[in-house]
Amino acid sequence: MAVAAAGLLTVALIIFLAQNTRSTEISFLWMTASTPLALALLIAAVGATLLTLVLGTARITQLRRLIRKRRN
């Protein structure tokens, strides 16, 4: 079931990338770049996912330490 879901997600991602090839200009602080829209959105999604994972892991670690401290 998981393999089928991953395959379907991969096909949807390929279709998304193929349909959004128009170039767009991105500005951040003093940097400016021109990149395809799909790539810009993909980079933003991956960045948001990584940020969520890092912050979530830090919070879980913090809670585990608090629980250990209260047990002792």
Side-chain angles (χ1 to χ4, degrees), residues 2-5 9 11 13 18 24 28 31-33 35 37-38 41 45 48 50-51 59 62 65 67 70 72:
V3 174
L9 188 61
V11 170
L13 183 60
T24 185
F28 180 70
M31 300 174 285
T32 303
T35 184
L37 178 61
L41 291 172
L50 290 176
L51 181 63
R59 180 64 178 151
Q62 182 184 34
R65 286 181 183 170
I67 289 171
R70 287 186 179 178
N72 295 327

Side-chain angles (χ1 to χ4, degrees), residues 6-66:
L8 188 61
L9 188 61
T10 302
V11 170
L13 183 60
I14 290 170
I15 292 170
F16 172 77
L17 290 171
Q19 288 181 343
N20 292 291
T21 57
R22 190 176 348 182
S23 187
T24 185
E25 186 175 312
I26 300 172
S27 299
F28 180 70
L29 298 176
W30 65 89
M31 300 174 285
T32 303
S34 182
T35 184
L37 178 61
L39 181 62
L41 291 172
L42 188 61
I43 290 170
V46 169
T49 301
L50 290 176
L51 181 63
T52 302
L53 287 173
V54 167
L55 293 176
T57 301
R59 180 64 178 151
I60 289 171
T61 303
Q62 182 184 34
L63 291 173
R64 284 182 179 172
R65 286 181 183 170
L66 182 64

